[in-house]
Amino acid sequence: MKYLFAEEKEWRKSGKEGKVDNLYFCAFILALFNLPETVWLFFEAKNIDFDSGIGFDGEYLVSAGIKECYQYLETADNPKKTELLKYIGETEESCIYSQEDIDDWKEHKKSYFKCYKFPIQDELYFLYSTNERELFLKKLPEWIDQERAWTYNELSLYRTYANYADDKVLEIEAFKLTLEKNDKDFLIEDYNKQLAELYVEIGENAKALEILESIINGTDNRNIVRDCVEQLCRIIIRTNSSSDEIAKQSYHIIKVEHKKYSSFFPMVDGLIKNVTEIMGEGKMTAHNNNLPKAGRKWWQRLFGSE
């Protein structure tokens, strides 16, 4: 198991694409052997890069048991020992984890990795988790066509599977079904935004516009409006025509919202500048008198003075 973990660790260092869960799974299996000396392997994995520092659970470092790990560290000789103790705590009493924390964490991990446990209970999720893409794509239609009530978790899996299959049309169907079955009102706007974005990606601009306009008309949330304006800009950029009716309608909404909010975010404001040029109009007037002095200077650098 040490060999498999070491191989996954080297893969992570290489920066190659792939599922990082395989590294975590190998780490967890190794942790179940309760060997205190594996702390150095785990500490190295946690320090590979910024993402590993966040994603690789600190609990691995004392997974062999709090008492056992500190007893081992008393006599261990390793150049990383001082750095390790600074992270987990200098003594058993000052450890950032309790034994109860570690026990609960292990139970959670057992549940998280249950898809790998034989007999396999969920074949499709196992194929997805192990990146067996060819077999996964063969089994996916059968999973979708099953008779079910479509629970929240199943809908989430549907969206995940469609994304993994790299099938935009299937993703759209997953989001449409999610909206149909959704009973969590606070997520409706987010689902609709993602659905509109998918419509933009496949060129269904009229459908995207309808959704985006509805969202904007139903909210005063600047961030939500910003995200919708971004997609409206992308409709115009993809169309690249000032005579297209959908582009015209999109541009009208952008102008109204721009007048209302003055600016959104550098990237979105940059897109607004691009679509203004596509639509053949002069620079959209920036209401920068409402901005702080620093903000006015930033706007002028981006769009030029009024």
Side-chain angles (χ1 to χ4, degrees):
M1 199 62 231
K2 284 184 180 180
Y3 172 77
L4 289 177
F5 176 68
E7 289 294 294
E8 289 294 335
K9 187 157 55 67
E10 289 305 310
W11 162 82
R12 183 69 184 85
K13 287 180 180 179
S14 72
K16 295 178 181 178
E17 293 185 2
K19 278 188 66 62
V20 75
D21 261 4
N22 293 334
L23 170 66
Y24 299 156
F25 178 60
C26 288
F28 182 63
I29 296 299
L30 186 55
L32 294 179
F33 286 92
N34 295 323
L35 302 172
E37 62 268 24
T38 58
V39 65
W40 308 118
L41 294 175
F42 294 150
F43 195 52
E44 181 184 356
K46 189 163 182 60
N47 286 281
I48 291 173
D49 54 25
F50 179 78
D51 290 337
S52 293
I54 296 173
F56 194 85
D57 293 347
E59 285 89 346
Y60 281 113
L61 303 175
V62 287
S63 56
I66 304 293
K67 182 178 181 180
E68 291 78 6
C69 283
Y70 278 93
Q71 285 180 343
Y72 165 75
L73 289 172
E74 283 180 5
T75 57
D77 183 19
N78 189 289
K80 294 290 184 179
K81 181 176 178 178
T82 300
E83 186 180 348
L84 171 66
L85 288 172
K86 184 177 179 180
Y87 180 84
I88 64 174
E90 296 290 338
T91 65
E92 181 180 344
E93 291 72 26
S94 63
C95 182
I96 59 175
Y97 302 107
S98 68
Q99 188 57 50
E100 183 179 2
D101 291 334
I102 300 305
D103 293 341
D104 290 344
W105 171 79
K106 280 189 174 180
E107 289 304 311
H108 168 72
K109 285 298 180 184
K110 285 179 182 178
S111 176
Y112 181 82
F113 289 120
K114 65 182 179 182
C115 64
Y116 293 101
K117 187 176 180 180
F118 285 95
I120 300 299
Q121 297 180 8
D122 188 333
E123 183 181 9
L124 193 68
Y125 190 73
F126 174 77
L127 294 173
Y128 163 72
S129 299
T130 54
N131 200 26
E132 291 288 348
R133 183 178 174 80
E134 186 176 343
L135 289 173
F136 171 88
L137 292 175
K138 289 180 180 179
K139 293 286 183 178
L140 180 57
E142 179 184 331
W143 182 86
I144 294 172
D145 292 338
Q146 288 178 24
E147 287 292 330
R148 54 160 68 85
W150 285 108
T151 64
Y152 177 79
N153 287 335
E154 287 170 337
L155 289 167
S156 178
L157 280 175
Y158 190 3
R159 297 192 302 276
T160 298
Y161 289 163
N163 180 265
Y164 177 67
D166 196 23
D167 187 329
K168 300 299 181 186
V169 174
L170 191 61
E171 276 195 83
I172 286 172
E173 291 305 312
F175 273 100
K176 286 168 63 177
L177 184 63
T178 297
L179 286 163
E180 177 188 332
K181 303 290 185 180
N182 177 62
D183 60 356
K184 301 182 184 299
D185 292 342
F186 69 96
L187 292 174
I188 289 178
E189 278 183 346
D190 187 58
Y191 292 147
N192 269 308
K193 281 193 299 178
Q194 292 182 71
L195 178 58
E197 184 176 348
L198 287 165
Y199 276 133
V200 172
E201 289 184 21
I202 67 168
E204 293 280 359
N205 293 333
K207 292 180 180 178
L209 174 61
E210 181 181 358
I211 295 172
L212 294 168
E213 185 174 18
S214 176
I215 295 173
I216 289 173
N217 290 337
T219 185
D220 289 322
N221 187 307
R222 183 193 190 99
N223 291 332
I224 292 173
V225 173
R226 176 202 64 206
D227 292 343
C228 291
V229 166
E230 177 185 345
Q231 294 309 316
L232 291 170
C233 287
R234 296 193 186 283
I235 289 175
I236 298 172
I237 291 170
R238 283 172 174 265
T239 304
N240 197 28
S241 170
S242 61
S243 61
D244 182 84
E245 286 302 317
I246 301 299
K248 289 180 181 178
Q249 293 175 50
S250 299
Y251 188 58
H252 173 72
I253 297 171
I254 291 169
K255 288 198 295 184
V256 170
E257 298 308 315
H258 180 268
K259 183 176 181 180
K260 180 178 179 181
Y261 291 103
S262 296
S263 66
F264 293 102
F265 184 76
M267 185 271 288
V268 177
D269 292 331
L271 290 176
I272 292 173
K273 181 182 179 181
N274 291 339
V275 301
T276 301
E277 294 173 353
I278 290 172
M279 300 308 290
E281 296 193 7
K283 289 184 175 68
M284 199 177 289
T285 301
H287 299 274
N288 57 23
N289 288 332
N290 297 326
L291 298 173
K293 185 176 181 180
R296 293 200 298 272
K297 289 182 178 179
W298 169 85
W299 182 273
Q300 289 165 358
R301 287 198 302 272
L302 183 62
F303 291 100
S305 302
E306 286 188 314

